[in-house]
Amino acid sequence: MDLSKNIIGILSLTALVPSLAEAQKKQPNVLFIMTDQQRWDALQCAGNREIKTPNMDRIAREGVQFV
């Protein structure tokens, strides 16, 4: 009786191992971009109307912008 419980327990754990490994692979992609020697208003997305920064504006639109 105890042997069958152990076998069922082991089989249950081996069934969970692939799903646990798959869950660890699905980590979020995080990209942190930081510039140096740049004023807070040097980007168009921060309100500057003279400087055109379309790529940084797109990143700010699609992601998170800390102001």
Side-chain angles (χ1 to χ4, degrees):
M1 191 68 166
D2 287 330
L3 181 60
S4 64
K5 286 183 181 179
N6 289 341
I7 291 173
I8 291 172
I10 290 171
L11 290 176
S12 299
L13 286 177
T14 56
L16 289 176
V17 169
S19 63
L20 291 175
E22 187 65 30
Q24 289 178 348
K25 290 180 185 177
K26 294 182 179 179
Q27 296 178 354
N29 293 325
V30 177
L31 176 64
F32 184 76
I33 299 175
M34 184 176 71
T35 59
D36 189 27
Q37 302 295 321
Q38 178 175 314
R39 289 175 37 136
W40 67 272
D41 62 348
L43 298 173
Q44 189 175 8
C45 62
N48 193 318
R49 295 186 179 162
E50 295 179 24
I51 299 174
K52 304 299 182 206
T53 54
N55 293 323
M56 293 300 289
D57 295 341
R58 181 181 50 82
I59 292 171
R61 240 186 347 267
E62 295 175 2
V64 177
Q65 177 184 4
F66 298 99
V67 289

